[in-house]
Amino acid sequence: MTPEPNPARHDRDSVARSALALLDEVGLADLSMRRIAARLDVQPSALYWHFASKQELLADLADRITASVPRGTTGVLATARGLRDALFAHRDGAELVLSTYALQLGSAHALDALIAALRSDGADDPETRATAILHFVLGHATLVQQRMHADSHGALPPSDEIDVTAGLDRAFDLGVRALAGEVSAPRAPRRARA
């Protein structure tokens, strides 16, 4: 006779999926182990069977957020845009990934994808460039998400702009291209007048 599955039992994956769904509902500031446990109808201590700490859970969420970043021969700009879009797909996704990356937890896939794209593009020093691009993407996406959040709460100063993120795509593309080494060739030096 096999015991019936207990619907109250959860595994690491179900805890992380519930935490990610809750992140989208309440944001990073209100994502607590207590709240996740309440969502799963368990005691907070039950979560520590699956994750040793909240930081470990957040690192897992960061990896899940960045898992969709394309890897291969898509080119560095497409890879960076894919990373940015993955961050935008979740409320406070950029802030979560940035905070775990700052603690050197999670997000390795994003860096690896950028390195692979730069190598595919033939960039020199792809590891350093990928790190710079990752920093840029995380900062850019955090700025955009915070600006959109502030706008949704009426916290931005009045402006004629309807879209508070207008022009940021151009700035994003320019930043990625510059960090990838795709800047225009330097102008020829001026000839001395005789």
Side-chain angles (χ1 to χ4, degrees), residues 2-73:
T2 345
E4 289 189 34
N6 181 348
R9 284 199 168 168
H10 298 281
D11 59 11
R12 186 177 173 94
D13 182 59
S14 68
V15 170
R17 282 186 289 112
S18 293
L20 199 53
L22 192 57
L23 171 72
D24 288 337
E25 290 174 28
V26 301
L28 186 57
D30 291 326
L31 184 67
S32 67
M33 295 300 264
R34 185 174 307 282
R35 199 170 232 167
I36 296 165
R39 164 69 60 97
L40 295 169
D41 197 27
V42 299
Q43 292 297 315
S45 60
L47 300 179
Y48 294 99
W49 283 100
H50 308 292
F51 294 95
S53 65
K54 183 178 179 185
Q55 288 73 26
E56 184 180 317
L57 171 61
L58 294 178
D60 186 273
L61 298 183
D63 287 341
R64 288 169 186 267
I65 289 171
T66 60
S68 65
V69 175
R71 186 171 177 161
T73 57

Side-chain angles (χ1 to χ4, degrees), residues 82-139:
L83 173 56
R84 179 194 59 187
D85 294 347
L87 299 173
F88 288 163
H90 296 279
R91 181 174 175 179
D92 298 334
E95 183 181 353
L96 186 147
V97 173
L98 175 63
S99 66
T100 60
Y101 178 74
L103 297 174
Q104 298 180 335
L105 304 169
S107 309
H109 174 75
L111 183 60
D112 292 344
L114 288 167
I115 291 170
L118 285 160
R119 282 187 180 141
S120 176
D121 287 352
D124 63 319
D125 197 7
E127 291 81 8
T128 304
R129 288 184 186 278
T131 299
I133 292 170
L134 180 58
H135 293 180
F136 173 77
V137 173
L138 290 171

